[in-house]
Amino acid sequence: MNLAGKTAVVTGTSSGIGLAVCRSLLDAGAVVFGLSRRETPLVHEHFRWIQADVTSDIAIDQAFDAILAQFDRVDLLINNAGFGFFRDVESIEPAEWRRLIDTNLTAMFLCTRHVVPGMKAAGSGMIVNMGSVAGKRGIKGGTAYCASKFAVNGFSESLMEELREFGIRVTCVNPGSVRTEFFDHAGIEPKKYMQPDDVASLIISLVTLPEGMLPDELTLRPI
Ligand SMILES: NC(=O)c1ccc[n+]([C@@H]2O[C@H](COP(=O)([O-])OP(=O)(O)OC[C@H]3O[C@@H](n4cnc5c(N)ncnc54)[C@H](OP(=O)(O)O)[C@@H]3O)[C@@H](O)[C@H]2O)c1
């Protein structure tokens, strides 16, 4: 996909990987809408921040109503918003569990259903879902987070199979540790990190591959 003039929506843009992805998309010439609860610290003529809690059906509906009132369709959706905690299973409150699943998994479904009709009509489009290496193997303390990211992989693979016949590409990106605010609250401290800008540049590389190539999944780790 040539990103010049394309419409992109990114969730979780106030910090970390989502913020870095927005910058890279703007550099590549896209018009970018960013969704987050805290303000996204980006000033650019082609960037609009929409305050939204992605766990709210109503907030998501209102955000996409506003976007689709301005543009015929969304060409690129990056489902990135998420958080994690690593704790003993018996210390996790049901409301915490549900909030994590709502944020990391259900929000992807809520956003995806708004962009698919326009992409189908256009016969093109791309959806990038943020998984994790924690979605490929279980981690001590990660019952909630790993469950959410394993589910993201299952959601993504099924969506990929469903949409490829319409010319729509679905990719699940599974990073290892990235130096972001994620670890301010996660309760673990990795030994090695990648940088958010590096993950963003990888995502741009996947998005800008020739339309005939479908990168369905990519795992990347720090060295
Ligand atoms: N850092 C890592 O090592 C790593 C590795 C693999 C995968 N990931 C995944 O990468 C994604 C981004 O994380 P990050 O590392 O960049 O962490 P981060 O810096 O903490 O960014 C998380 C973003 O998600 C947003 N978000 C969280 N809950 C939200 C909600 N209810 N509604 C709207 N936005 C919400 C936050 O915005 P607000 O707080 O302003 O709402 C923030 O912009 C997550 O899905 C995470 O699981 C991270």
Side-chain angles (χ1 to χ4, degrees):
M1 181 188 291
N2 175 356
L3 282 163
K6 293 292 194 313
T7 305
V9 176
V10 185
T11 66
T13 51
S14 57
S15 62
I17 298 168
L19 179 58
V21 167
C22 284
R23 289 203 180 101
S24 299
L25 290 172
L26 290 165
D27 286 347
V31 175
V32 183
F33 291 87
L35 275 57
S36 52
R37 293 166 302 180
R38 294 170 297 159
E39 187 168 2
T40 294
L42 256 181
V43 179
H44 190 287
E45 62 172 323
H46 293 138
F47 179 75
R48 317 251 196 303
W49 171 60
I50 299 177
Q51 185 169 31
D53 181 335
V54 296
T55 65
S56 160
D57 308 18
I58 294 168
I60 298 280
D61 288 351
Q62 288 174 343
F64 280 92
D65 284 351
I67 294 163
L68 293 170
Q70 294 173 64
F71 293 88
D72 289 346
R73 66 172 180 274
V74 173
D75 299 295
L76 172 65
L77 170 65
I78 304 209
N79 281 312
N80 164 76
F83 73 101
F85 52 74
F86 293 82
R87 302 209 312 263
D88 294 345
V89 70
E90 68 274 23
S91 74
I92 302 171
E93 294 296 329
E96 293 179 293
W97 174 282
R98 290 196 184 96
R99 181 145 195 94
L100 190 144
I101 299 293
D102 283 352
T103 307
N104 293 5
L105 175 64
T106 309
M108 289 191 176
F109 156 71
L110 294 175
C111 293
T112 297
R113 59 192 286 279
H114 281 285
V115 303
V116 165
M119 289 180 178
K120 277 186 175 174
S124 67
M126 189 158 181
I127 299 171
V128 179
N129 294 331
M130 188 56 67
S132 169
V133 294
K136 308 300 288 181
R137 66 181 179 92
I139 298 171
K140 185 181 173 190
T143 49
Y145 187 66
C146 292
S148 76
K149 293 298 187 180
F150 269 74
V152 165
N153 272 273
F155 173 73
S156 301
E157 193 171 328
S158 301
L159 192 66
M160 181 274 292
E161 292 290 4
E162 182 176 320
L163 296 181
R164 60 190 293 205
E165 68 191 82
F166 297 97
I168 303 166
R169 298 180 296 164
V170 179
T171 299
C172 187
V173 176
N174 290 306
S177 303
V178 186
R179 176 77 76 182
T180 69
E181 293 178 19
F182 179 94
F183 292 103
D184 294 354
H185 315 286
I188 53 169
E189 192 57 48
K191 293 192 179 73
K192 293 178 178 173
Y193 291 95
M194 296 175 285
Q195 297 302 319
D197 284 344
D198 295 334
V199 178
S201 71
L202 173 96
I203 290 172
I204 299 299
S205 305
L206 294 175
V207 170
T208 54
L209 281 172
E211 298 274 345
M213 293 171 73
L214 165 51
D216 63 352
E217 183 193 332
L218 194 97
T219 302
L220 58 157
R221 300 170 188 275
I223 53 169

